[in-house]
Amino acid sequence: MNRAVTPQGKSLTIGLLWHSFSSDNLGVGALSQSQLAICTEAAAQAGVALRFVVFGTRGGSSYGLDDARLKIGNTIALRELVYRRSTFPSELNECDLVLDIGEGDSFADIYGFKRFLTFILTKVIVLAKRKPLILSPQTIGPFDSWYARLMATQVMKRCQKVFARDTLSFNYLRQVGLRDNVAEVVDVAFRLPYQAPAKADDGKVRIGINVSGLLFSGGYTGGNQFGLTLDYAALTRTLLTEWSKNPAHEIWLIPHVISDDLPRDDDRIASAQLKQEFPSLKLAPEFASPSEAKSFIAGMDFVTGARMHACIAAFSSGVPVVPIAYSRKFNGLFSMLGYSWVADAKAMNNADAAAIILRGFEQRAQLALEVQAGNQNAFARLDGYTATLAQIFRQVAERKGVPLQPAVLAEAGADGR
C-alpha cells in the first residue's frame, strides 16, 4: 500500500465512523482493514488522494496504525455526546464525507437501547454538520421497537447512500420505503488481505472451531439473551466429542474476540474451558491482526463457528465452512451468495444443528465448490461498491476543489483475492 501522504487541502478527508484499528473484536478490525483497502483502490480509480479520521471504540490491539494516512479520533461515549462534552462534533469538521460501517451489525436494537442510541446520535451529528453520510455495507436492523424503527428510517432517508450487506437488510430498506439511495452489496471483509499458508502433507484433517464466548456464556446479560432454540455449549461439546474420536482429526479452537474488559464476550475463556475438557484440542495463538487470523483460518480443511467474521475469513479464503447463526445477519449474507450450509441457532434444535455441521464436514469437497462460486459473487459485488465509492470521491473532490491526481495512489493495495 502506498503510504505517501498528500497534505490536507490537496486530499479528501474521509471520516471512518464506527471503525476501529485496535478493537479486541477482530471482526470489527476486519471490516476496518478491508474498508481501508477498498477506499485505497477507489481513490486510485478516482485519482484522488485520501486521508482518514477514525471514530469508534478502542481496544487493546493495534493493527494498521503505521499507515500515515490514519488519524485516530477520540473514543465516542454516549454520556459525552449527551452532555456535549464529546470532541466528536469538532473532529468531524475536518472531514469531507463520512463512511459509517456501524461495526458491521450495531445499527440495530438487538444489543440494547443504549448502544442503539449511541449509534443513532453519531449519525444525527454527522447530518447536522451537513457532511455527506454513507452507510457502508452492514446489517440494517433488526429494530424491534417502533421508536428505533422510526429514528433509523428518518436518518437513512437523509444518507447519501445506504449499502446493505445482505438480502434481508436490503429487503427491509425497501419495506420502509427507501428506494433511490440504497444498494445491496456484501460484507467488505471478503476483501481482507491475507497470506495463504502452505498445508502440511501429513494425513491430518484440520478442523477449526470458533467458539463464541458471547453465546457460550448466554449473551451479555446471560439467560439466553439472543433467544436461541438450542443449547450452544452442549452443541459445541457434541461436535468436539464426535470429531475427537478420529485420531486423524487435528482440532483447533480459534478465538476471534479477545476482550479483557468483557469476559462474557471473550472467546479465549470458553476455549480454555473446553481445552481442559478435551486435552487433545489445539489452541490457536492470539492473533495480532484480523489478517493474521484469516491467514491462520485459511490453513484449515473445515471450519465452523458463531462469529460471523471468523466464518467469512474461512469462506473468503476458500475453506468449507458451516456457520452457526445467532442473528439474521448470517442467514441474509450467506443465502445472498447461494450458500445454504448454515446451522440456524434460532430455529434448529441441537440434533438438527449438529447434523448439518457434521454432514457439511463429510461433504466438504462439495462445500468447497459452493464456496468458490459464492466468492465470485461476493467479489463482483465489492467491485461495484468500489466503483461507486470512486465516483463519490471524484464528485466530492470536484465540489471541494481538490485536484485530481491519477498517479497519487498507483498501488491500490491487496484486495484479499
Side-chain angles (χ1 to χ4, degrees), residues 184-258:
E184 181 184 81
V185 192
V186 74
D187 195 291
V188 297
F190 278 83
R191 284 279 176 85
L192 180 66
Y194 74 104
Q195 294 292 326
K199 293 190 177 182
D201 185 15
D202 56 5
K204 293 287 188 181
V205 178
R206 290 170 175 82
I207 304 170
I209 302 182
N210 161 244
V211 180
S212 167
L214 186 60
L215 296 190
F216 205 82
S217 60
Y220 294 114
T221 61
N224 193 18
Q225 178 184 359
F226 299 106
L228 305 187
T229 56
L230 52 74
D231 184 330
Y232 175 75
L235 171 64
T236 303
R237 291 184 173 99
T238 296
L239 296 173
L240 292 174
T241 299
E242 185 64 28
W243 282 325
S244 296
K245 293 175 182 177
N246 190 334
H249 294 165
E250 186 176 283
I251 307 168
W252 287 87
L253 297 169
I254 307 176
H256 210 254
V257 172
I258 300 168

Side-chain angles (χ1 to χ4, degrees), residues 152-188:
T153 301
Q154 292 305 311
V155 163
M156 289 189 292
K157 285 180 177 178
R158 297 180 59 191
C159 292
Q160 180 170 336
K161 201 78 175 177
V162 178
F163 292 98
R165 69 178 179 182
D166 62 84
T167 301
L168 291 175
S169 293
F170 180 71
N171 289 343
Y172 174 78
L173 294 173
R174 303 298 293 268
Q175 178 186 330
V176 297
L178 293 172
R179 292 287 189 276
D180 297 336
N181 68 334
V182 301
E184 181 184 81
V185 192
V186 74
D187 195 291
V188 297

Side-chain angles (χ1 to χ4, degrees), residues 11 141-142:
S11 61

Side-chain angles (χ1 to χ4, degrees), residues 101-392:
I101 208 160
E103 293 189 342
D105 68 345
S106 291
F107 192 28
D109 57 5
I110 185 176
Y111 297 115
F113 184 69
K114 179 180 177 181
R115 187 176 178 88
F116 168 77
L117 186 58
T118 305
F119 278 71
I120 200 77
L121 271 178
T122 55
K123 294 167 176 56
V124 170
I125 292 169
V126 172
L127 293 171
K129 289 278 187 179
R130 299 187 182 278
K131 304 291 183 180
L133 176 60
I134 296 167
L135 299 192
S136 290
Q138 60 190 277
T139 301
I140 308 296
F143 303 109
D144 292 329
S145 62
W146 67 266
Y147 44 86
R149 287 194 296 272
L150 178 62
M151 286 189 283
T153 301
Q154 292 305 311
V155 163
M156 289 189 292
K157 285 180 177 178
R158 297 180 59 191
C159 292
Q160 180 170 336
K161 201 78 175 177
V162 178
F163 292 98
R165 69 178 179 182
D166 62 84
T167 301
L168 291 175
S169 293
F170 180 71
N171 289 343
Y172 174 78
L173 294 173
R174 303 298 293 268
Q175 178 186 330
V176 297
L178 293 172
R179 292 287 189 276
D180 297 336
N181 68 334
V182 301
E184 181 184 81
V185 192
V186 74
D187 195 291
V188 297
F190 278 83
R191 284 279 176 85
L192 180 66
Y194 74 104
Q195 294 292 326
K199 293 190 177 182
D201 185 15
D202 56 5
K204 293 287 188 181
V205 178
R206 290 170 175 82
I207 304 170
I209 302 182
N210 161 244
V211 180
S212 167
L214 186 60
L215 296 190
F216 205 82
S217 60
Y220 294 114
T221 61
N224 193 18
Q225 178 184 359
F226 299 106
L228 305 187
T229 56
L230 52 74
D231 184 330
Y232 175 75
L235 171 64
T236 303
R237 291 184 173 99
T238 296
L239 296 173
L240 292 174
T241 299
E242 185 64 28
W243 282 325
S244 296
K245 293 175 182 177
N246 190 334
H249 294 165
E250 186 176 283
I251 307 168
W252 287 87
L253 297 169
I254 307 176
H256 210 254
V257 172
I258 300 168
S259 178
D260 293 329
D261 296 331
L262 293 171
R264 298 188 71 90
D265 199 22
D266 195 331
D267 296 353
R268 294 174 302 180
I269 295 176
S271 295
Q273 181 177 335
L274 292 168
K275 179 74 169 71
Q276 285 187 329
E277 298 176 26
F278 299 86
S280 65
L281 302 183
K282 294 181 177 295
L283 186 60
E286 291 189 17
F287 304 114
S289 70
S291 289
E292 186 177 304
K294 182 175 180 178
S295 298
F296 184 89
I297 289 170
M300 298 292 108
D301 296 301
F302 177 83
V303 166
T304 187
R307 298 289 188 181
M308 193 169 82
H309 282 99
C311 296
I312 289 176
F315 194 104
S316 60
S317 60
V319 178
V321 58
V322 179
I324 300 172
Y326 71 92
S327 84
R328 73 178 193 180
K329 64 182 180 181
F330 289 83
N331 310 71
L333 175 71
F334 289 103
S335 66
M336 179 179 69
L337 299 177
Y339 193 76
S340 61
W341 292 93
V342 176
D344 192 338
K346 299 193 73 170
M348 293 180 175
N349 58 29
N350 279 48
D352 291 339
I356 190 172
I357 296 168
L358 294 172
R359 190 167 68 251
F361 172 72
E362 296 299 330
Q363 299 180 26
R364 56 190 180 277
Q366 176 59 36
L367 267 64
L369 296 176
E370 296 183 33
V371 164
Q372 183 179 11
N375 277 324
Q376 292 175 351
N377 185 344
F379 292 141
R381 289 171 179 271
L382 287 177
D383 284 343
Y385 173 61
T386 304
T388 300
L389 286 185
Q391 182 182 25
I392 292 171

